[in-house]
Amino acid sequence: MGTPVNIIVGSHVWVEDHSLAWVDGEVSKLNGEDAEIQTSNGKRVVANLSRIYPKDMEAPAGGVDDMTKLSYLHEPGVLQNLKIRYELNEIYTYTGNILIAINPFQRLPHLYDAHMMQQYKGAPFGELSPHVFAVADVAYRAMINEGKSNSILVSGESGAGKTETTKMLMRYLAFLGGRVATEGRTVEQQVLESNPVLEAFGNAKTVRNNNSSRFGKFVEIQFDKQGRISGAAIRTYLLERSRVCQISDPERNYHCFYLLCAAPQEEIEKYKLGNPKSFHYLNQSNCYELVGVSDAHDYLATRRAMDIVGISGKEQDAIFRVVAAILHLGNIEFTKGKEIDSSVPKDEKSKFHLNMTAELLMCDPRALEDALCKRVMITPEEVIKRSLDPLGATVSRDGLAKTIYSRLFDWLVDKINVSIGQDPNSKSLIGVLDIYGFESFKANSFEQFCINFTNEKLQQHFNQHVFKMEQEEYTKEAIDWSYIEFVDNQDVLDLIEKKPGGIVALLDEACMFPKSTHETFANKLYQTFKNHKRFIKPKLSRTDFTIAHYAGEVLYQSDQFLDKNKDYVVPEHQDLLSASKCSFVAGLFPLLPEETTKSSKFSSIGSRFKLQLQQLMETLSSTEPHYIRCVKPNNLLKPAIFENVNIMQQLRCGGVLEAIRISCAGYPTRRAFFEFINRFGVLAPEIVEGNHDEKVICGKILEKKGLKGFQIGKTKVFLRAGQMAELDARRAEVLSNAAKTIQHRIRTHNARKQFIALRKATIHVQSLWRGRLACKFFESMKREAGAVKIQKNIRRYQARKGYSKLRVSGLVLQTGLRAMAARKEFRFRKQTKAAIIMQTRWRCHRASSYYKKLKRASIVSQCRWRGRIARRELRKLKMAARETGALKEAKDKLEKHVEELTWRLQLEKRLRTDLEEAKTQEITKLQNSLQSMQIKIDETSALLVKEREAARKAIEEAPPVIKEKQVIVEDTKRIDSLTGEVESLKASLHLEEQRADNSERRYAEAQESIEEKQKKLQETEGKVHQLLESLSRLEEKLTNLESENQVLRQQAVSVSMAPNKFLSGRSKSIVQRSAEGGHIVGDPKPALDMHSHSIIQRDHPEVEEKPQKSLNEKQQENQELLIRCIAQHLGFAGNRPIAACIIYKCLLQWRSFEVERTSVFDRIIQTIGNAIETQDNNDVLAYWLSNASTLLLLLQRTLKASGAAGMAPQRRRSSSATLFGRMTQSFRGTPQGVNLSFVNGGLNGGVDTLRQVEAKYPALLFKQQLTAYVEKIYGMIRDNLKKEISPLLGLCIQAPRISRASLVKGSSRSLANSAAQQALIAHWQGIVKSLGNFLNTLKANHVPPFLVRKVFTQIFSFINVQLFNSLLLRRECCSFSNGEYVKAGLAELEHWCYKATDEYAGSAWDELKHIRQAIGFLVIHQKPKKTLDEISHDLCPHTAALSNQYNVLG
């Protein structure tokens, strides 16, 4: 576009900038081919001369309306001119007869009112400011005057304003060619009102535009002989059908769906609609409403537009019924049916939407379900009906929705064309093409391929048109133009559309073969166009390809090319909708004759689109084209923002820069003779002063400066690219020399005048300063003499004052030191006395502790001996349990034992019931007898009271003279007899009370005996429960052994029967179990991956082996990536091990559990084994224990035996029969604290939601290997901790001898005693510190709490055994003082258990019961006064061995 010659220092130029595209600056330095430039934004850059362009400093401040008038026609000049005009709200600019329209993103009503249209009516082109009305007027006048059809091509990217520009064009054409309506609806009204209808059904919100047209539109406006509109037709291209079923955030689906959801309430109830969020085709994006747009208002406006274009109310109802049916169709979900690979509606909600879809389409619901879920295959022998799986049914559903919507849109376009009507007698038309611009996104599919193909075609047409205009300009001025070069893009078009080897032809060929995939299509492209300069194969992809378009390279993804190119209707869908009771729906799917169906050829979107594009280009070629390039100034869609880089890209995509390049290939700079002489006359003033013709003067100036290649036309001077810059440089040089001469004279005069004035002023200043210096010297002498006197007096005063202060300070200091020495002596004597008391107490305590430790050591020795015997028995039991026969015998014995215990339990229950009944009867009898005795006592008391009352009355009634009569004697006898009866009754009452007390005592004794029997019964029930658990574990182990034996037999049989010509499968892994722990000691060898069920034969052709090999290579790559991933420390997310979750999801995704042979399990086990080789690193071991246990739990929940493995009896009640399996039998129930929700939210419901997988032999073997590794890691961690605390336990069992000797020798060794105690406490604190560090390590790696509790339970049991055995084996440790020492250490352990909480410590403290009881023996006061029975039964019931008690007590 230019040449960098004549760039000198001081030239104003344009230089590239990564953020602003181009920035202006001034050349400050030249260095060969490089120039140093000071930019206007303050930066200093260095650029090559070939990369900079001159800047026109004399350009108008408001820019030029036609960029061909620019002095420098290059990219920065064009960009600067557009920016200046955009800032002044001048959004239209010409480039020749090409109109560039920049979207203002705001309303400018003054540009489009009726007054403006009246001004541009009939005005010559270029007389008024650039406007879209001017282009339309030129096309209309050319059609009227020349009788030739014209076309207006509007292009630009989404959001650039193409649709609005098209509306303005049709408004102006309707203004020019409209007529008064006679029937209520005119053609121009129908043309204008067709836009809302097509926008509602063909436009949608995209990332770049809220109202983006997702189809191409060519409107043909027909005119009669009088220039009035007589008809119109609309053609559409490439509707984006995939948007109906799939949208991305924050885009929206087509407007019509949202308009219908915002319809009046009666419409919503009629179609059973609701909020757009409730529909699957709409809720894939979070955008449901547009800012400043009312969907309800637009719905009514669309209805009115349908009325104007001639769509009846009945047809409108049918249209929106079809739209509602598509929404309901998208909500139908499918799940697996009862048959294999079948599908049915998922739930009642899906069935409701299925019925609503059938109701709206007026078809049978059952037939609709069959059409979605089944396919009919017709063979010569029979008709086969095949069921689809849920994924296939979903694809069928989406295909039906896209087909219905596409047919509906085509029907709307045809209806609008029929309603508007075409004039068959019209010979003149103006076509307005609203076409999508060049698109290049991160992901480009088939739609972008067709869009860019269209733009390539239009760009070729545009280049030819621009080249033609240049030819006309040169012919008009009568200059030579035969050497101008024209670059064509025909090679790109041949790459795309050439037959038979173009991309479209290869795509159609691939679509006709059922087995073709996007991989085979991409490989075909790579082979066909590997040497094509416009076709590029990416390095990191096997299915993508790149095409070098005129606007840049675009990377296409071929994944969906085949599906989107196929243009056919499923026969089941065609038959279903053709039989619809709704005539509108049936009309969308007319029945085709059988002959047509059988003889029809393959149809594709690409071929149909190419044919439509060919017809469009023929139409454009037969018309006179006019171009409007729409530009979007920014991606924020806001006014007053001008993004240079974005606009440069759009100008490049729109072909504007290509047109400038064509112009620059000829004569880009054109100046009238007067303008040229006025600007460059200073280069040859002698020629201008002469009386010559302007044309002659221009020629002589150019010849004088030595320029070549220029042309002088009739009215203008035509300069080649760079010649204008060279002339400007020469002009700037002449003006610069003249300015330098003037500056030289002025600077000389000013310098001499300034020198004379400066010399005169200097002499005057010197005289003044000399006098001033003399005065200052005299003043300084006076000041110096006065300062000496003042210093002498001040120094004397300061010396005296300092001496006085020092003397007083010495006296105060002496007094304080003497007082401090006295206080220190007193404090020393006081501390000495207190220390003697403390030493006395401490020696007493130490002697007592030594006795307790000695006693505790004997108990520890007893416990260790018993533990040794128990381990021997356990080892024998383990050896016996490995034999299947021993397991069966143990099982039979346990069953008999259980039956015996059950019988005993029932007997005890029956005896307890009989005892309770007898007790109840006895209590009832005693209560009855007690009541009867109470009644007798009451009656006797009442009789006694009556007798006393009678005796009293008789005494009162007797006369005062007492006579001896017989009656009185009788009364006295009677009283005596009554008194005797009362005494006897009292005796009997006392006897009954004693009997009642005895009964109550017997009742209490019976109650106590019943409670004792109940306790015994509960203990018996506990033993029965333990025996049942043991029996269940033995059954589980027996079942597992039978399953493994059966699988191994079947595997051996299958291997022996395999033919030699097949490839070998999985290599055998030698799995051995150790004698005690059951760990895997064999090293599993890597095996081949055999995910495919078919076995590849060696003699197959190489072509058939390539897909399988590529699949195996891909699987090997995935496995390598997984192994590399898990070999690293991935950490945890939300208390969950990431590595275990990744391994499980990968194995589940690859279906590795369901294959007969695979090597991924061996590689995972080998990775875990390599990671735990360093047994001393507890952090690594804890990390792999967390991952391995989590993965094992997932496998327990997921895997279930299949085939031979499933033939074993289903009687599994625990996870494993090994020691670790019995310890973690709660695996299947998800132990407390184990959270197995996956990291990426794929398993929100925990392990209960895991689906069961039919596991093959490798998966079962992997589970057993993983179990063995969990046990191995667990044992390594436990043993590491034991090794760490074992030395400390040996130091903690016995107090130092010096502490015991100090009790005898007095306080002379108190310091050594305290040091020994500190050392002992340090050992216990070391144990606590080791336990704390170990717990922190397990917590940091999120080991399940139940494993942590088990570890600490065993560790504490180990501590208990070590300490107890030490007491038993070392009698010198069984002393009172030693017991006190160990008791203090146990208190430290108890404090640690309290801080660790029950979640991690569990019942670990209870494991120390034996050592605690032994220490309790040692610290008992007055032990000799107590008997052995009291100590053994009351204080320590768990110590049963009498010899151990003697050892501790001794």
Side-chain angles (χ1 to χ4, degrees), residues 3-8 54 72 680 683 702 705-708 719-733:
T3 176
V5 297
N6 298 319
I7 298 296
I8 61 176
Y72 303 108
F680 299 108
L683 299 178
L702 294 171
K705 296 305 174 184
L707 298 181
K708 298 180 181 180
L719 301 178
R720 300 286 290 178
Q723 291 182 346
M724 189 70 177
E726 185 174 356
L727 291 175
D728 276 339
R730 301 282 182 85
R731 178 173 175 269
E733 186 177 355

Side-chain angles (χ1 to χ4, degrees), residues 70 461 468 506 718 732 965:
L70 292 173
H461 185 268
K468 181 180 178 182
L506 294 177
F718 292 82
K965 292 183 178 181

Side-chain angles (χ1 to χ4, degrees), residues 948-1092:
R948 285 179 180 177
E949 288 293 332
R952 187 178 57 79
K953 289 180 181 181
I955 292 171
E956 289 177 355
E957 292 176 357
V961 181
I962 301 175
K963 296 179 180 180
E964 293 183 0
K965 292 183 178 181
Q966 188 69 27
V967 178
I968 297 175
V969 176
E970 292 177 359
D971 292 336
T972 302
K973 291 179 179 179
R974 189 175 182 182
I975 290 172
D976 292 336
S977 64
L978 289 176
T979 302
E981 291 179 3
V982 169
E983 292 296 333
S984 64
L985 289 174
K986 287 182 178 179
S988 63
L989 177 60
H990 181 66
L991 183 60
E992 292 296 333
E993 288 178 352
Q994 289 180 353
R995 190 180 299 172
D997 292 338
N998 294 331
S999 300
E1000 290 179 357
R1001 186 166 56 253
R1002 287 197 301 271
Y1003 174 74
E1005 292 175 355
Q1007 190 70 25
E1008 290 178 358
S1009 64
I1010 290 172
E1011 291 179 356
E1012 290 179 358
K1013 291 180 179 180
Q1014 286 180 349
K1015 291 181 180 179
K1016 292 181 179 179
L1017 180 61
Q1018 291 177 357
E1019 293 177 357
T1020 305
E1021 290 178 351
K1023 293 180 179 178
V1024 171
H1025 182 66
Q1026 293 178 358
L1027 291 173
L1028 289 174
E1029 289 182 352
S1030 301
L1031 178 61
S1032 63
R1033 287 195 293 270
L1034 292 174
E1035 290 177 351
E1036 175 66 20
K1037 184 171 182 180
L1038 179 60
T1039 304
N1040 289 341
L1041 290 174
E1042 292 177 354
S1043 300
E1044 292 177 4
N1045 292 335
Q1046 186 68 20
V1047 170
L1048 291 173
R1049 290 195 200 99
Q1050 184 179 4
Q1051 188 73 14
V1053 171
S1054 62
V1055 170
S1056 64
M1057 295 179 64
N1060 294 329
K1061 66 180 181 178
F1062 293 131
L1063 293 176
S1064 62
R1066 174 184 176 90
S1067 62
K1068 299 182 180 179
S1069 300
I1070 302 175
V1071 182
Q1072 298 179 355
R1073 298 281 180 176
S1074 65
E1076 294 181 4
H1079 304 313
I1080 295 178
V1081 299
D1083 186 14
K1085 300 179 180 179
L1088 296 176
D1089 193 354
M1090 295 293 290
H1091 283 261
S1092 175

Side-chain angles (χ1 to χ4, degrees), residues 746-760:
I746 295 296
R747 286 171 182 165
T748 301
H749 173 72
N750 291 337
R752 180 171 179 76
K753 184 177 179 182
Q754 185 178 6
F755 170 74
I756 294 172
L758 183 62
R759 185 178 62 178
K760 183 178 179 181

Side-chain angles (χ1 to χ4, degrees), residues 1277-1288:
I1277 291 177
R1278 181 193 60 206
D1279 294 339
N1280 287 342
L1281 183 56
K1282 287 183 179 180
K1283 292 178 183 177
E1284 185 177 357
I1285 67 175
S1286 292
L1288 298 176

